[in-house]
Amino acid sequence: MTNVRIGVMHDRDWDPEGLPDFARRAEALGVNDLWVVEDLGWNGGVSAAAVALGATHRLRVGIGIAPAPLRSPALLAMELATLARVFPGRLVAGIGHGVREWMAQVGVAPRSPLALLEETITSVRALLRGERVTVTGREVQLDGVKLVHPPAEVPPVVAGVVRPRSLELSGRVADGTLVAEGHGPRDLEHIRELTAKGATGDHTLTVFAFACVGDDPEEVARTLHPHTEGHGAWLGRPQEEVFTVSGDATRAADGIRELAAAGADTVVLRFVGEDPLGQLEAVLGAWHAPSV
């Protein structure tokens, strides 16, 4: 549990021009990871990752997540390889189904989301390993594609998925699974069981979590309310069952420990409310405080 990585999300609603300074300040606070978001109409995930990597020196940067329907596996592998060669060991690539309604909105909704995700992840990983790839799949078609400049250090490719069949697929074809906000320790135990059905080696678990840190419980609850309400509806669970890392700094740090004890290798905090970096600093201070 002590080896868990702590990350911070640069929220999709924040202006992209603020990303370089946010990344530098997060790195100075000692956080392990910074994750950027790719949702339709917001920021590009690969370009945002490049900005964050270029602004920092040691931070690992995660793309959470590139929707498979929007990305040719060949082009995505080319983009990831470029970043991985320039910033070796500092990239994690997340790939997911994409929101079905958004994919339909731009005319790329696949016939089989599961087949597309599996064929995309399998192809991208093989291309990043420097292999010549031919695929005649249900959704992906590649004919002898090979990267001229594959990365010397292949970045992990993780699947951002929620449903049981997708979680089993992730265990089978990806280096790890990225779990959406709202999932708590009991959820992680079940997710571990599903990914383990197909996993043949080490399979990491990265967990996004809404976070709000403050000494006034009522203010924290008010700040979180619109986020947990909307996300609860998306997850199909009552709002009060949406897990958050929240409360005063000590309680928030305990929330990270709960996720780590349930199997999270990385916990990425998605801060809501004022002064997200101040909140991050408070949590990290409590996290590193000596036990009494």
Side-chain angles (χ1 to χ4, degrees):
M1 186 175 73
T2 56
N3 293 326
V4 66
R5 301 179 67 91
I6 298 179
V8 62
M9 179 189 295
H10 187 266
D11 197 276
R12 66 184 188 181
D13 287 332
W14 300 343
D15 292 338
E17 57 267 33
L19 175 56
D21 184 60
F22 182 89
R24 284 189 289 266
R25 292 172 64 191
E27 182 175 62
L29 290 174
V31 77
N32 302 113
D33 285 18
L34 184 143
W35 284 72
V36 296
V37 182
E38 179 165 280
D39 282 339
L40 184 64
W42 278 269
N43 304 320
V46 173
S47 54
V51 169
L53 286 164
T56 55
H57 299 287
R58 61 157 189 85
L59 269 184
R60 190 176 73 166
V61 175
I63 299 172
I65 57 179
L70 277 178
R71 300 281 189 174
S72 156
L75 180 57
L76 181 56
M78 291 159 58
E79 300 276 24
L80 298 175
T82 300
L83 293 180
R85 283 187 70 103
V86 178
F87 305 101
R90 296 183 55 204
L91 178 69
V92 182
I95 305 175
H97 292 299
V99 177
R100 185 77 177 175
E101 293 78 10
W102 291 347
M103 299 302 99
Q105 190 178 355
V106 292
V108 296
R111 294 164 298 176
S112 173
L114 282 169
L116 175 61
L117 186 60
E118 178 166 4
E119 291 164 9
T120 297
I121 291 176
T122 302
S123 300
V124 168
R125 291 183 72 203
L127 287 164
L128 291 173
R129 291 193 298 266
E131 299 174 14
R132 185 175 300 280
V133 178
T134 296
V135 177
T136 305
R138 294 179 64 184
E139 300 286 344
V140 172
Q141 306 291 320
L142 297 174
D143 185 7
V145 179
K146 188 176 188 299
L147 296 182
V148 175
H149 300 295
E153 188 170 347
V154 178
V157 176
V158 301
V161 290
V162 175
R163 307 301 177 199
R165 290 178 65 194
S166 298
L167 288 165
E168 290 185 29
L169 184 153
S170 176
R172 187 171 69 251
V173 304
D175 295 304
T177 297
L178 177 58
V179 181
E181 301 90 334
H183 291 87
R186 262 189 285 183
D187 296 309
L188 299 195
E189 293 170 13
H190 181 55
I191 288 167
R192 278 288 192 194
E193 292 173 1
L194 289 169
T195 58
K197 289 184 178 182
T200 56
D202 291 337
H203 188 86
T204 62
L205 196 61
T206 300
V207 182
F208 285 175
F210 285 117
C212 186
V213 181
D215 294 326
D216 182 345
E218 292 185 0
E219 179 61 26
V220 167
R222 281 194 298 271
T223 302
L224 281 168
H225 185 276
H227 304 277
T228 54
E229 183 179 45
H231 220 70
W234 179 69
L235 291 173
R237 64 178 59 182
Q239 182 178 6
E240 60 271 16
E241 293 181 13
V242 176
F243 184 86
T244 65
V245 172
S246 58
D248 62 29
T250 299
R251 185 166 184 150
D254 286 341
I256 297 173
R257 292 186 180 96
E258 290 177 39
L259 293 172
D265 299 292
T266 301
V267 176
V268 180
L269 303 176
R270 181 181 179 182
F271 285 103
V272 300
E274 297 296 320
D275 192 12
L277 287 169
Q279 294 186 58
L280 174 62
E281 184 174 16
V283 173
L284 292 176
W287 175 260
H288 293 299
S291 300
V292 178

